[in-house]
Amino acid sequence: MSLDDVLARRRGEAGTIVDVDEPHLKLVVFSLDGDWYAFHGERIREVLADCPVFFLPGCPPSLEGVINVRGEIESVLLLRSILGYPETADTANSRILIGQGKAMRSGIRVDRVEDVVDLPASRLEAPPHTIPDHLAALVLGLVSFGGRYVSVLDLERLFDDYRAGLR
């Protein structure tokens, strides 16, 4: 049997090759008090290193103040406060994510940005029933990344609830 015969036989055995383009999720992964969360990347416009935040009197505790981003004034929400974490004085590694929803745009302070990743959409698992009640409506699902489970949060719902005074 010649090499051409062997290759022809192998092609016949392998059948047709199916090229499947699986949808991917771009996620901005961050941490709060050692717990890992993520927002969909298309909702996060940019990640800012710590910059001066100007306090506004009379605002709720979950609103840190405002920042100037290239001439645009953006509010800065404290995600720790919104999700029920205690305040922290350690902001050395904190970052501000500029998030964009349909009806709201704001900065969101997180403790630390861990990574920006592109994962297959099939890795998103349904949220477990054991998620605390105050987070259940915000968690879209879980992904395993870096040996940890990451809760993917719904930024649109977070903004809607915040505007409605629910968070």
Side-chain angles (χ1 to χ4, degrees):
M1 191 181 310
S2 72
L3 178 60
D4 290 332
D5 293 335
V6 171
L7 292 176
R9 179 180 273 175
R10 296 277 294 175
R11 277 193 292 272
E13 291 172 359
T16 58
I17 296 173
V18 179
D19 184 20
V20 178
D21 285 333
E22 182 176 359
H24 277 71
L25 298 171
K26 185 172 291 293
L27 299 173
V28 177
V29 181
F30 58 90
S31 60
L32 294 172
D33 237 10
D35 296 330
W36 285 28
Y37 296 96
F39 287 126
H40 284 279
E42 67 269 5
R43 295 287 186 198
I44 303 299
R45 296 285 147 235
E46 61 185 301
V47 177
L48 302 174
D50 201 20
C51 56
V53 178
F54 300 95
F55 175 74
L56 296 174
C59 289
S62 57
L63 182 66
E64 184 177 357
V66 295
I67 58 175
N68 184 338
V69 181
R70 292 179 298 286
E72 296 290 323
I73 304 301
E74 302 289 350
S75 59
V76 177
L77 303 177
L78 292 169
L79 194 56
R80 290 181 70 85
S81 176
I82 293 170
L83 297 183
Y85 286 89
E87 286 186 37
T88 182
D90 182 20
T91 59
N93 293 317
S94 73
R95 297 290 181 260
I96 298 173
L97 309 177
I98 303 296
Q100 177 72 53
K102 292 177 187 163
M104 183 175 170
R105 177 178 160 143
S106 180
I108 304 156
R109 183 170 302 274
V110 299
D111 289 356
R112 177 184 168 108
V113 172
E114 301 295 339
D115 207 342
V116 177
V117 296
D118 201 16
L119 300 173
S122 62
R123 297 227 350 232
L124 184 65
E125 300 173 20
H129 299 290
T130 57
I131 290 181
D133 290 339
H134 72 284
L135 288 177
L138 292 178
V139 177
L140 296 171
L142 299 177
V143 294
S144 178
F145 172 73
R148 304 182 79 128
Y149 275 105
V150 177
S151 298
V152 179
L153 301 178
D154 184 347
L155 183 65
E156 193 68 46
R157 177 71 183 261
L158 180 88
F159 281 168
D160 287 348
D161 288 357
Y162 192 81
R163 288 178 49 231
L166 300 176
R167 299 222 177 252

